[in-house]
Every structure is written in structure tokens, then in C-alpha cells.
Amino acid sequence: MTVHTLTLLGATGSIGDSTLDVVARHPDRFAVAALAANRNDEKLLALCRRFRPRVAALADRAAARRLADVVAREGLPIRVVAGDEGLIEVASLPEVDTVLAAIVGAVGLPATLAAARRGKRILLANKEALVIGGRLFMDTVAEGGASLVPIDSEHNAIYQCLPPTYARRPEQAGVRRVLLTASGGPFHPHPDVDFDSVTPAQACAHPNWTMGRKISVDSATMMNKGLEVIEARWLFNVQPSQIEIVVHRQSVVHSLVEYVDGSVLAQLSNPDMRTPIAQALGAPERLESGCAPLDLARLSTLTFELPDRRRFPCIDLAYAALEADAAAPIALNAANEVAVDAFLNGRARFSDIPRACASALERRTLTRVASLDDALAADAEARALARAALGYQPSGVEDQ
Ligand code: NDP
């Protein structure tokens, strides 16, 4: 039995909770070397007491100081590191073979890239890192001798439906298309909802999944599916025309792969992130995850329909960005992060989110991405354009 030594980036979030739940079920298989988050020092302290990592990292320096004080007072054998360099350090620890990347947003890219350069087994939930990293990210994974296993339920489903030897060559594997399922979020089945007046609480009330607030809003605008189209393009090296979105309200079929002979393989399970996390953590073995068994007879009906692209323009924005140039997905993601943050903080309407994204895509000037610096410049330009479109200045803490 292989024992994996783990760094968990985003330990205090929703994916962090699910991951540590699975890890705690298999104490003989996993050793937690490092836990990292942003500023929630109280929760990270509780996790440190329970999982005893060797290193704990907080991006926020004041929060890291508070954590270091308590760790010292309690005599815990844990080193506390801070800032972006602290995140990179825990993603690069020599004794760590597996890095689970579950920071939310573009801010997770540098640490995830560091893990790629060090040849780690990367279990990726942080889809924004791949959306903005694109080809650069995939090249770094290959050059660093790293491996990449998707945690996002749709991509993990596709990963499970592809042959284990899949070498990112769809034609060689006989893959015709991948079909990404989408729950549609809280608003797709309700054509009368007024997008000018929905509240953050309504947008975050996902029918099937309990997730962090940013991805919940992305799910409500269906930008989440757009980001996942871009994620699928890079993970599996399929063309945008080979990626189809199907609305499937029940979130039981997590995605499908269609082969040239007409076979369509799907992965099913209850909507519980512990299933893809356990699959990725344990592969090639299967681990008990705590997810309830699927009761098909009780479900009785599984439905599929096309998404309403007129009411949810974020889908077409994502396809257009993928077809445009390497900087377009970066701009789309950055503008979306700014707009979602503004919406969650009461500074923008729900309907402003696609508007700000479209505006940033139209008005950007940077289109070339040959390095991480180019990517960061395109990201910064789009954030400024999105703020201008929304007519507000940031308070300085909400979107880095
Ligand atoms: P949450 O908001 O619940 O958690 C976010 C995590 O990221 C927290 O640990 C937070 O720390 C940390 N974080 C935020 N900013 C920084 C920063 N600047 N530096 C270091 N850490 C930071 O998000 P989720 O767990 O829902 O999502 C995480 C990622 O996984 C996202 O990319 C999301 O799209 C993806 N994902 C999530 C799914 C889900 O079911 N939740 C499903 C599929 C993908 P702190 O608490 O200290 O702020």
C-alpha cells in the first residue's frame, strides 16, 4: 500500500473539508505534511491540532502571526509560514508527493505551478489556475514530470471514462466528444427570475451542491460551466467543438465521453465531492469516501436538456474566449472574479457579471501570452477593465 504525503492548499474551504474528511477515513494511507489557506487562522488552528502537519501556511501575514503565536503557546511542532512565498514553499516541500490544489481563484496559480515544477502529483480543484495557466500550465506539468488529476466532478468523471493510458490524444483513443453535465444552478429552470434583482443568498442557494460562495455564483451565472469548458480543453486536449454542455438537473451523471463507435461512457454518483476526491487521492485503488450509495430506483428519472445560452451568456463568452487567443480566457476569468466579488459585496447586480466580462473581453489590448508575466499582465488589465465597467474601485482586500 502506497502512503501519500500531502499538502492541502485551501484547507479551510469546502473542498478542504471534503478532502480532510476522506483523509481522516484512511489514516494509514495519508500523512498531512502541510495545510494552507488565506486568512482563516482560527479554522486552520483547529485543523492543525487535529491533523498535526509539519508546516502551516497563511497568505495573510497578520493571520499567520496570530496562528504562529498560538502554535508556539501550545507547543505544537508546526512551522508557520506566510505570504505567497509560504504557499509556494508548502507546495514544493521535498517530502510531499501529492498537492491538492483547492485555493479559489487565479491567486492559486503560482503555488500550483510550483508543485508542477517540482514534479508533484497534483489533484486539481482550483479550475481558475488551469483556465488562466492554459498551455503554459500544461507545459510546466509535462516539463516538471508532474501528473494532474482533476477533482472537479465533471472532469474527474471524464478522467474516469477515458482509458487509463489516455495520452491527451483524443483521435488515438477514439474519442469523438466529451459531454459536460451542468445542474443549471438555481436559476436555469426558472425563466421568470429577474437577474437585475436576485440577491447573493439566492444565487448561492445551489439545488444540489454545497460549495464556496464564488463557485456557487459561477454556477448560478453558468460561468462555472464556461470555465469548465476551458478546463476540459486543456486537461484532455480536446477542441472546443468537441466539448458539449448538457443540463442535467439531478447532478448524478457527472459527465460523459462519446467514442467514435457510438459508445457513450458516463460516471454516476450522488452529488458529493468526496467521491471525485477519493478517486483522485486513491488512484489506481478505490477508497471508501463516505458518499451515500446511489439509489437509482429511488431517483427514477434522469433528465437532459440543452442550456439556455441566451439567458446565460457566460457560456458563449467562454467558448469565444477559447477560440480568440491565449489571453482571452485569462481576461474572462479575471473580469469574472472582480464582478462576482462585487456582486457578493453588494456593489453590482447579478446581471452585471456577464456585462463586465464582455466589456473586459472587448476592450482589452493584451493578447499574447508567452510567460507567466504576460498572463499576470493580461489578468491585471482585465481586472481594471471590469472595475471600470462596474463603476467601482476595490476596497483593496477582496480581489487580489
Ligand atoms: P471556498 O471559498 O470554500 O474555499 C476557498 C479556500 O481558498 C479557502 O481555504 C481560502 O482560505 C483559500 N484562499 C482564498 N484566497 C486565498 C489566498 N489568497 N491564498 C491562499 N488561500 C486562499 O472554495 P471552494 O472550496 O468551494 O472551492 C475551491 C476551488 O475548488 C475553487 O477553484 C472552485 O472552483 C473549485 N471547486 C469547488 C467545488 C466545490 O464543491 N466546492 C467543486 C469543484 C471545484 P480562507 O478560508 O482562509 O479564506
Side-chain angles (χ1 to χ4, degrees):
M1 182 173 58
T2 316
V3 178
H4 292 294
T5 306
L6 195 72
T7 283
L8 175 51
L9 305 171
T12 52
S14 161
I15 292 287
D17 288 344
S18 297
T19 301
L20 290 171
D21 183 279
V22 175
V23 164
R25 291 167 191 273
H26 303 280
D28 50 337
R29 283 178 181 266
F30 301 105
V32 178
L35 295 173
N38 184 20
R39 58 170 75 102
N40 191 346
D41 54 303
E42 286 185 13
K43 182 158 178 183
L44 199 63
L45 174 64
L47 296 177
C48 284
R49 287 183 182 131
R50 181 165 173 217
F51 290 94
R52 301 292 172 129
R54 192 169 70 71
V55 192
L58 283 168
D60 183 281
R61 291 177 195 281
R65 272 193 300 277
R66 288 195 298 272
L67 179 66
D69 285 349
V70 187
V71 161
R73 240 189 351 260
E74 293 188 7
L76 296 171
I78 298 172
R79 192 160 61 84
V80 178
V81 296
D84 295 341
E85 64 277 18
L87 297 178
I88 289 173
E89 181 182 338
V90 293
S92 313
L93 291 173
E95 74 267 32
V96 163
D97 61 56
T98 302
V99 174
L100 197 142
I103 289 174
V104 60
V107 74
L109 178 64
T112 313
L113 272 180
R117 281 191 207 101
R118 295 294 180 122
K120 308 294 188 194
R121 187 171 77 117
I122 301 170
L123 314 186
L124 187 77
N126 180 199
K127 65 188 82 184
E128 298 92 345
L130 183 52
V131 166
I132 68 167
R135 193 179 300 280
L136 271 178
F137 185 92
M138 296 309 294
D139 287 351
T140 309
V141 167
E143 284 156 19
S147 64
L148 195 54
V149 183
I151 294 278
D152 216 350
S153 58
E154 295 78 2
H155 304 76
N156 183 268
I158 293 168
Y159 180 82
Q160 293 195 51
C161 293
L162 288 168
T165 54
Y166 186 69
R168 299 185 70 241
R169 295 170 69 175
E171 55 308 318
Q172 196 181 59
V175 171
R176 187 187 284 150
R177 298 187 296 167
V178 298
L179 296 107
L180 287 177
T181 52
S183 70
F187 304 137
H188 194 272
H190 305 293
D192 296 334
V193 171
D194 175 11
F195 287 167
D196 286 338
S197 61
V198 297
T199 63
Q202 288 168 325
C204 289
H206 197 281
N208 305 336
W209 300 95
T210 307
M211 310 182 285
R213 279 161 69 78
K214 194 265 178 181
I215 186 176
S216 296
V217 176
D218 285 348
S219 199
T221 59
M222 295 196 74
M223 179 62 90
N224 184 47
K225 217 42 57 181
L227 297 177
E228 288 178 7
V229 168
I230 301 171
E231 191 184 3
R233 190 264 172 273
W234 293 115
L235 279 172
F236 306 117
N237 198 26
V238 284
Q239 295 307 309
S241 59
Q242 292 178 291
I243 307 169
E244 183 158 331
I245 298 172
V246 189
V247 173
H248 164 55
R249 292 295 301 159
Q250 297 79 19
S251 298
V252 165
V253 177
H254 295 298
S255 276
L256 314 91
V257 176
E258 182 184 292
Y259 288 88
V260 289
D261 62 2
S263 298
V264 178
L265 302 192
Q267 184 264 341
L268 286 72
S269 62
N270 278 317
D272 183 330
M273 284 308 294
R274 291 177 298 179
T275 295
I277 290 168
Q279 190 282 328
L281 279 170
E285 290 168 55
R286 294 279 176 175
L287 304 181
E288 201 279 315
S289 71
C291 175
L294 191 58
D295 185 343
L296 282 175
R298 191 154 165 268
L299 269 171
S300 89
T301 311
L302 298 176
T303 60
F304 301 92
E305 62 184 302
L306 290 176
D308 182 343
R309 289 174 177 237
R310 195 185 50 78
R311 284 177 67 231
F312 297 92
C314 292
I315 295 176
D316 284 344
L317 288 176
Y319 275 101
L322 204 41
E323 298 283 8
D325 52 72
I330 299 172
L332 177 69
N333 178 71
N336 182 57
E337 287 190 22
V338 168
V340 169
D341 184 79
F343 169 65
L344 285 171
N345 287 300
R347 293 204 196 94
R349 292 170 304 182
F350 186 76
S351 55
D352 290 330
I353 298 172
R355 196 175 56 74
C357 292
S359 170
L361 280 173
E362 268 164 34
R363 294 174 56 208
R364 74 207 164 92
T365 60
L366 303 174
T367 55
R368 235 178 65 87
V369 184
S371 66
L372 181 59
D373 283 348
D374 291 343
L376 296 178
D379 177 282
E381 181 188 49
R383 282 174 200 267
L385 289 170
R387 282 184 202 113
L390 296 168
Y392 90 99
Q393 288 302 313
S395 63
V397 291
E398 64 274 65
D399 53 271
Q400 296 96 15

